[in-house]
Amino acid sequence: MSIAVGKRRYTVVMPDAKITCGCGIITEWTFYARKNGTLIFYALDTNHKIVGHTKVHVPQFVAGGGNNHYDLPLSQPMWIPVQKNYMLAFYSQHEFQITYNDSAGFKSYGYSNPSSSGLTVGNSLQDPFSVDDGTRHDRTYAVAAVVEAAHPPMFVNAPYETTIFTHDIGKVVYTATVLDIDGSMDILTITMNHKAEFTFDASTGTITYTTKLPAQTVVLTMTVSDGCPDSGHTVSETVTVNIINARPKFVDLPKSTTVSEDASSLTIPFSTKDDSGDAVTCQLNPALTGFTLTNAATANNITPHTVIALVAFDYSNTPFYELTVECNDGVNYMTSNLQVAVIANKPPYFVASNPGYVPALYEVDRDDLQTVSFKVNWNDTDNLSDVRVMSPAPAIICNTDLGNVLSNDPASANTCPFQIEASTGIITSNETLGKVAYDLEIKIRDNDTTMTNPYYLSVVASKGPFRFNESPKIVNLPTTIKVMENTPPDTYLFKLLFTDENPADTFTVTDTINASHVLKDYIKFNTTSYVVSTGTKPIDYETSTAGEFEIIISDGTGTTQFFTVTGTVTIQYVDVNEDGISLVLNSNATAEFNEDKAPGSVIYSSVVDKSATLNTSIDKNEVIDYWMNCGKDSKYFSFDPIANEVKLVREYDMDKGLSGTATCNITARDTGGFTDTKSFTLTVNQTNDIAPEFPHKNYVFFQRPSDTFFTLIANMSGSDADVVDTPTVLTYRFGPASSKASTESHFQIDEDGILYIRNVSTVPDGSYKTFEIIVSDNDATAPLEGTCTVTVIFSGVATTTTTTTERYYVFLDDHENYWWMFLLGALVFAAVVIIIFIACNDPRIYDYVVYQMNRFAHWCRRKPKPKAPRRTVGKLTVTVNNKRLENDPDNALPWELLAKDGDVPELNQVQADIQKRKEKRDRDYKNFKGLPIFEKGKGPRPDSAQSTSSISSDVTRTSESPKYATFVSKDDNLDEGGEGQWGNLEGATGGK
């Protein structure tokens, strides 16, 4: 490269120094320098635009210079992202500051540019091929960049799934969080596949639900890219949005309402709200006769509804109605209960102008039509306007002096000559009275057809003096008055009515309620107004005593002619459910039973203290219902409220993973609907209910009479499905008892179920021993046992009738195989020698081979494996169950033949069992001394952060990585000079 004299700063672009791999990150610069001064290393894209640079100051050299090697590791904030075909460049403060070598085929371009030291990311360097000023050379500069592979970005919180309502317009359903291990040098681009009902804000990474959709599941695809064109650097994940419909809600449906008994209809308006805007349709479920429900149009998410009742309300038959309102918006439904309570109607009563007195006889002129005979007055405590004269006719029934019964019903042949006006109660004659006297029976009722006792009036058709005193007649006694519990004091109950043919008499009215009477505090009678009302104390149905009293009427005329009449008033109290109950369980809040309890058994008796529960209510004649709920364990238990006991419905087996504890709630409800709930615990005791067992019921083994003491036969360990039993508590013994001693003299079995030879030297060749092995779980109360039958057949080297002593013809028995085996071995040896020669002369192959040999040696040292003792036996052929089996003479252990259902397994199964036993033996004798394990690529990255020097950077980002160029070596072995003090390390990076 030709440089004019006097130019002090230089910029060199190396178009052939390209990034040949894919996307990566420059994490270190390495270079050789000949002079001190400032260096700036650049990474350029294919358009020669700077994507990152690193600035470093090489310390002062001792006179004479030299080629010094420097490594410049970069901290993470100073890493430079690069892509394939990006090129390198550098700026040097002095001429020939970077060591170079002229070499053909490697192009470089240098030019003087003092201002290059101020270039930053985004600026462009001059195209090295755009101007030819004689400075292009075939020259290689001692500058290299260490490039590590780039990592693809990833979503931290995706795949993601969320649930929203159909009406949640404007709700943010997802905020993307992405991660790039490469740090902040990558510019990440996040996109979402188009979905008209959702909007995506790339600046915040949020997805917003903007347009209403019906209930469904929407899958959105999110994509993030770090700008690298390589495969795998664009990552897609899904965001699943479950859109559900909101349930409707009742707005103003009351829990209960009242209606008078005399009402002919009832209207209950209410409304529902559905935030999703769906039309809500309601109905009564189950339907109730006389009740209908109408639905109106939906407006602003509100739907009006109306419950209409057209029922003949009757308190005595139906005191209340229970309605269930069920509403549905087409997707979801809801229900609510509505109670309609009927208020009992009180009957009307007659009222006289004078207190309590109405005439019993009235005299009229028989020829004077439309004469006012009498005016009937009445009253009603419910509603005065609700009372009217008995309608339809007859309202008056009259008896003549001849005993004829006449009616004012126009349809009657014999009509009564009197009529009554329904609105005023005035009784008049409508024809000439042909009889001397008439006895009129007058009735009234209210709109609810509640009728009074009849009022009697005698009408005389001619005038004349009264000659004899007649006794008073009580109109409405005897009677029974029913009084509701807790009726307030001084409440009107009843008014006495009586008649007398001598209206001029002076009447005296008394009653029999005195200081000792049971009704003295609860009922009183006014002797002036003749009204019966409640007393000074509220009536308590549970403590107050009902009874009766008499009302005595005397006309008081003269000393010889006066009459006294008596009427009885009976008082009955009506119970009202006043408050709830408190459920009382027996003292034990926990019941225990064993898991082997049979279904249908009683596991907890006398659960509820019914007497104590009933005593907690102040109401009498309570009828209490009970039920039980055990949650997820309800399928195992049932409660009999009559027998007052809990029963086991199905088997509760704790060996199947059940917890053994169930919490149950007992609920009591009284007549008035008040409830109370108490809980108790059912504890299931785990029992030993499953016997241990062996894998098979029958075993067949082949041994030799020459087998020595402690020769292994087989592992006979059993298993127990009981959770309370583990293999460590199982014990083994021989059986049956009659042959146990003989069996123990030949065999032994240890605590782990391993069967060994004890002494079989006296057992004849060709014989067999059959015995039982019993496994027990050693339960302290009721131990359970399992049994298997073992048959051991003893055969020596000598043959039997089905045995051959000849062995198989093997490979080495043929001598012709020796020649070609020798030639093959010679060729293999020559190939190995050639490979070793090549490997020893190539350092890379040699290092790799040494490394692998060390690994192999290390692996061999770490896993020493003792050799199994070898025993040689003769070939043995045995016929068992009509199957012919041959023993392998090279096998170090005897065969184990497992018999299933009287059959013998195949040879490959026997061989597999032998192999498993050999592996177990090897594990028993293995040396377990561990060695440290090193995994390739898992160690920490070398870090030169141990340097104590510090430098500053012209960028604001900080990092724990070193900011120095580390001195490596001097090529010219100068006697003077050294590292010196390093200058500041500066750098900047740009996005891909």
Side-chain angles (χ1 to χ4, degrees), residues 378-664:
W378 63 80
N379 199 353
D380 192 296
T381 56
D382 290 332
N383 187 359
L384 183 60
S385 62
D386 184 43
V387 182
R388 62 180 184 271
V389 176
M390 178 69 180
S391 178
I396 298 177
I397 298 177
C398 54
N399 298 316
T400 68
D401 54 344
L402 299 178
N404 297 322
V405 179
L406 306 178
S407 172
N408 67 342
D409 185 355
S412 174
N414 298 318
T415 59
C416 183
F418 295 92
Q419 62 184 8
I420 185 168
E421 186 178 348
S423 60
T424 62
I426 297 176
I427 301 174
T428 59
S429 59
N430 55 10
E431 62 182 48
T432 300
L433 302 179
K435 306 299 181 182
V436 176
Y438 298 86
D439 292 329
L440 305 183
E441 179 181 328
I442 306 170
K443 298 179 181 180
I444 62 173
R445 68 175 180 84
D446 58 15
N447 283 335
D448 197 45
T449 69
T450 303
M451 189 177 300
T452 64
N453 292 323
Y455 168 63
Y456 297 96
L457 176 67
S458 295
V459 179
V460 179
S462 61
K463 294 183 179 179
F466 297 109
R467 298 181 180 180
F468 300 98
N469 184 35
E470 297 290 339
S471 66
K473 295 181 177 60
I474 299 177
V475 175
N476 52 356
L477 291 183
T479 187
T480 299
I481 303 175
K482 295 184 179 181
V483 186
M484 302 292 288
E485 184 180 10
N486 297 322
T487 300
D490 298 322
T491 299
Y492 173 89
L493 299 178
F494 172 79
K495 185 169 184 177
L496 173 68
L497 296 178
F498 61 92
T499 63
D500 197 305
E501 294 183 0
N502 307 107
D505 290 346
T506 301
F507 300 101
T508 301
V509 181
T510 60
D511 63 271
T512 59
I513 299 177
N514 53 33
S516 61
H517 201 282
V518 295
L519 301 176
K520 67 180 181 65
D521 294 324
Y522 308 106
I523 301 296
K524 62 183 179 180
F525 175 69
N526 191 318
T527 58
T528 302
S529 62
Y530 309 148
V531 172
V532 178
S533 61
T534 55
T536 58
K537 291 184 178 181
I539 296 173
D540 187 354
Y541 180 84
E542 288 72 31
T543 59
S544 302
T545 302
E548 62 182 25
F549 67 95
E550 294 181 346
I551 297 178
I552 305 168
I553 304 174
S554 175
D555 59 7
T557 300
T559 58
T560 59
Q561 282 194 357
F562 70 93
F563 295 93
T564 299
V565 293
T566 302
T568 302
V569 178
T570 302
I571 302 297
Q572 294 180 356
Y573 298 144
V574 179
D575 188 17
V576 175
N577 194 276
E578 298 173 84
D579 91 13
I581 59 174
S582 179
L583 178 61
V584 179
L585 300 181
N586 283 324
S587 59
N588 294 329
T590 302
E592 295 185 6
F593 67 94
N594 295 332
E595 66 171 337
D596 57 353
K597 201 79 170 179
S601 302
V602 177
I603 58 176
Y604 191 9
S605 58
S606 301
V607 181
V608 180
D609 190 339
K610 293 186 176 181
S611 176
T613 302
L614 187 61
N615 291 336
T616 61
S617 175
I618 64 176
D619 298 315
K620 290 184 178 180
N621 302 324
E622 285 278 24
V623 177
I624 302 177
D625 297 323
Y626 300 90
W627 66 88
M628 182 182 74
N629 182 14
C630 297
K632 64 180 181 180
D633 295 317
S634 296
K635 62 183 179 180
Y636 296 102
F637 311 104
S638 66
F639 176 66
D640 186 347
I642 298 177
N644 194 16
E645 57 190 16
V646 177
K647 294 182 179 180
L648 184 65
V649 176
R650 62 181 64 185
E651 181 185 17
Y652 194 100
D653 190 357
M654 294 183 63
D655 299 320
K656 296 181 180 178
L658 297 177
S659 63
T661 302
T663 300
C664 299

Side-chain angles (χ1 to χ4, degrees), residues 55-78:
K55 182 178 180 180
V56 66
H57 181 77
V58 178
Q60 181 68 39
F61 280 86
V62 179
N67 294 322
N68 293 336
H69 179 200
Y70 300 93
D71 287 333
L72 181 61
L74 304 181
S75 61
Q76 183 177 2
M78 301 180 69

Side-chain angles (χ1 to χ4, degrees), residues 12 14 66 103 110 441 449 666 705 753 763 778 809 916 989:
V12 176
M14 300 176 288
S103 59
E441 179 181 328
T449 69
I666 293 286
V763 177
N778 290 321
Y809 194 63
K916 290 180 181 179
T989 61

